[in-house]
Amino acid sequence: MSPVGPRGEAELPFFVYGTLRPGEHNHDLFLRGRTRSEEPGRMRGLALYAGPGYPYAVDEPGGAVCGEIVTARPEAYEQLLEELDELEEYVPGDARSLYERVVRDAVRADGVTVVRAWVYVAAPAVAARLRSGGKPIEDGDWRGGGDGDGGDGPAGGAG
């Protein structure tokens, strides 16, 4: 069982698939020196769409997204969670949010071990727009199929 932070939320790892991945711009700004571990992984049930300098993950049965499973240092967790919510313009219950933070299963690189993790997925209105006219990243890897420039959009698109 994961520890619970002051906000009453489980202190789970984060699954990142965009500009928070190692070597990308927001990794250095938000995660460097604040993580206990970072390991490759995949998250099933999601599809990836190109955004303006960052990707969006959208719920899609049969899809899979490549990324990293990032475990924060316990002493950095609460502040990091708040900063990532702000980066992603995620406010619980606010329909204007670009992303929603949800708990999903990620699979480690061994292809077997499942880890419960926070992930930022496109909010419903954004997801609907992407499904109807967005540019899918077919292989589910932003570095391989997206613009991969690591640039900042309005939210910085941590994902």
Side-chain angles (χ1 to χ4, degrees), residues 27-43:
H27 179 276
D28 290 346
L29 291 174
F30 292 91
L31 297 176
R32 185 170 303 283
R34 298 167 85 183
T35 64
R36 191 172 62 203
S37 66
E38 300 175 9
E39 57 185 307
R42 290 180 64 82
M43 191 167 278

Side-chain angles (χ1 to χ4, degrees), residues 72-95:
R73 294 182 183 277
E75 66 276 10
Y77 188 86
E78 258 326 290
Q79 184 176 359
L80 181 59
L81 182 66
E82 289 175 18
E83 289 176 9
L84 293 181
D85 282 354
E86 185 176 327
L87 173 71
E88 301 295 3
E89 295 183 22
Y90 167 67
V91 178
D94 187 338

Side-chain angles (χ1 to χ4, degrees), residues 19-136:
T19 67
L20 282 170
R21 291 176 77 178
E24 300 294 338
H25 176 72
N26 281 329
H27 179 276
D28 290 346
L29 291 174
F30 292 91
L31 297 176
R32 185 170 303 283
R34 298 167 85 183
T35 64
R36 191 172 62 203
S37 66
E38 300 175 9
E39 57 185 307
R42 290 180 64 82
M43 191 167 278
R44 295 183 181 114
L46 297 174
L48 212 55
Y49 286 83
Y54 52 89
Y56 286 99
V58 174
D59 288 315
E60 184 172 302
V65 170
C66 298
E68 273 73 34
I69 301 165
V70 176
T71 302
R73 294 182 183 277
E75 66 276 10
Y77 188 86
E78 258 326 290
Q79 184 176 359
L80 181 59
L81 182 66
E82 289 175 18
E83 289 176 9
L84 293 181
D85 282 354
E86 185 176 327
L87 173 71
E88 301 295 3
E89 295 183 22
Y90 167 67
V91 178
D94 187 338
R96 297 171 297 179
S97 292
L98 292 178
Y99 293 90
E100 293 184 327
R101 179 171 38 88
V102 297
V103 177
R104 299 284 168 80
D105 289 339
V107 180
R108 289 191 167 132
D110 65 10
V112 177
T113 308
V114 175
V115 177
R116 297 291 280 170
W118 290 118
V119 63
Y120 291 91
V121 299
V126 174
R129 285 194 304 271
L130 290 166
R131 284 187 190 106
S132 69
K135 178 184 173 197

